[in-house]
Amino acid sequence: MKKQKLAVIFAALLTMAGFSSCLNSEDDGITEIPDYAEVNMSSFGSVSFNSMYGWVCVPDKSLTTAPESDLAYIAYRYEDADLQSIMSGTSTSKNLPVTLLQDPVYLKRLDCLSTALPEETKTVSIYPLGENDALVWGNNKYLILGPTIFLKKGTTSENLSTELANHRLSLYYLSNEDDETAKTLKLYLRYEIAGIGGSTTEETDDKENWASDYNIQYTRLSYVNLQPMISMYKSTHSGEDPEKVTVEYEYTSSSIPTITNKQTKTVTYNLYTETSSNN
């Protein structure tokens, strides 16, 4: 059986040049693979997944939980002959029968705002984003990000949902900040923790005594729909399409977050174009 390790390590999947290159040489006609897929729910309530590779994953069993967002990380098994029928055009359908190897992990949808950025005294640093901590999904439909945030000490799997409700990641798009010459759409990623920050609170002092309570690093798999921002970009820049998207964020390399000592950094990701080798 060809098999891809199923640990949810964001960068490992994002750097896949192609699914076949990440599989071992074992070949018994069955392949296991991880995927980021768009959730598709029928009028009858059945759920399938539009793969990032172009086919539609149809699970052989009903899901035990309801979908929580439009994108999910899934791991599944399929028969090579079924995929070959799709890729060769022998099959008239793109539906690929699959067996899910774990429950889907639903990505967090990020709000994208066109308002002014929040005050710097209210935003908290994240851990540095790498060049491989993002993926442009589909024909520039979604941008998937893997920012690492800081949860409060004592957070466990039992109280994770409650703790995550206190953490907010937001994207901002200000069209006047675009680099039109470089055909670059610029986004700003900002992170806030409920009850932390603000010009009148002790959280902004040099000591930042609150920070040591937030020492659990957690990668928050997230996504944003790029289409509204691309439409705004084209409207502002004479109908031209962007070729890149940049994300500016505030970070720390420390093991705990900061407000007063955070720095800004910008990472750049290529969008798909008609001449793109990735298209």
Side-chain angles (χ1 to χ4, degrees):
M1 177 185 295
K2 296 183 238 177
K3 194 171 185 179
Q4 167 72 34
K5 291 183 179 179
L6 299 179
V8 185
I9 303 174
F10 191 75
L13 184 55
L14 292 179
T15 54
M16 288 173 67
F19 71 94
S20 59
S21 64
C22 295
L23 305 173
N24 62 36
S25 58
E26 240 180 286
D27 189 356
D28 58 359
I30 296 175
T31 295
E32 293 181 357
I33 188 172
D35 198 349
Y36 286 106
E38 187 176 38
V39 180
N40 180 34
M41 180 175 289
S42 74
S43 57
F44 300 102
S46 61
V47 177
S48 58
F49 299 91
N50 298 328
S51 168
M52 62 187 286
Y53 303 116
W55 53 78
V56 179
C57 300
V58 182
D60 55 5
K61 294 181 180 178
S62 299
L63 301 184
T64 57
T65 57
E68 299 172 6
S69 72
D70 292 333
L71 277 180
Y73 170 93
I74 58 175
Y76 54 89
R77 176 188 300 126
Y78 64 83
E79 294 190 11
D80 295 345
D82 291 335
L83 180 59
Q84 181 60 32
S85 295
I86 295 173
M87 302 303 289
S88 66
T90 303
S91 173
T92 58
S93 170
K94 289 191 175 183
N95 290 350
L96 177 67
V98 303
T99 298
L100 295 181
L101 303 177
Q102 63 184 49
D103 289 336
V105 177
Y106 294 100
L107 279 62
K108 172 68 175 177
R109 182 180 64 83
L110 293 180
D111 295 324
C112 191
L113 310 172
S114 57
T115 58
L117 298 179
E119 297 176 14
E120 291 187 8
T121 57
K122 295 181 179 180
T123 57
V124 183
S125 62
I126 64 173
Y127 199 72
L129 276 173
E131 295 294 333
N132 293 321
D133 289 335
L135 171 71
V136 177
W137 192 99
N139 187 18
N140 300 330
K141 186 169 185 179
Y142 300 114
L143 176 66
I144 299 175
L145 293 167
T148 297
I149 62 176
F150 298 89
L151 304 183
K152 200 165 189 176
K153 64 174 62 174
T155 300
T156 65
S157 57
E158 286 74 22
N159 62 8
L160 177 61
S161 296
T162 300
E163 174 61 18
L164 285 176
N166 296 319
H167 299 257
R168 181 184 180 187
L169 285 161
S170 298
L171 279 169
Y172 295 81
Y173 175 55
L174 309 175
S175 58
N176 61 324
E177 298 290 336
D178 291 326
D179 186 342
E180 185 176 4
T181 302
K183 296 185 177 181
T184 299
L185 185 156
K186 186 172 184 177
L187 301 177
Y188 298 83
L189 177 65
R190 293 296 183 263
Y191 172 43
E192 298 175 77
I193 302 175
I196 301 298
S199 58
T200 62
T201 67
E202 66 175 355
E203 283 78 15
T204 58
D205 65 23
D206 292 335
K207 295 181 180 179
E208 293 193 307
N209 295 324
W210 58 272
S212 60
D213 288 335
Y214 291 85
N215 62 353
I216 297 178
Q217 295 184 12
Y218 179 84
T219 299
R220 186 63 156 149
L221 291 177
S222 310
Y223 73 97
V224 64
N225 189 336
L226 286 173
Q227 293 301 299
M229 281 85 76
I230 291 176
S231 294
M232 291 175 64
Y233 178 99
K234 294 174 66 175
S235 177
T236 304
H237 303 299
S238 305
E240 293 290 328
D241 283 305
E243 295 183 357
K244 298 178 182 179
V245 57
T246 62
V247 179
E248 183 201 275
Y249 66 95
E250 299 169 322
Y251 77 97
T252 179
S253 297
S254 172
S255 58
I256 57 176
T258 180
I259 291 177
T260 59
N261 297 313
K262 63 195 175 189
Q263 303 176 64
T264 59
K265 185 176 182 179
T266 299
V267 286
T268 302
Y269 307 109
N270 290 325
L271 295 173
Y272 294 115
T273 64
E274 291 184 2
T275 57
S276 172
S277 60
N278 295 319
N279 202 357

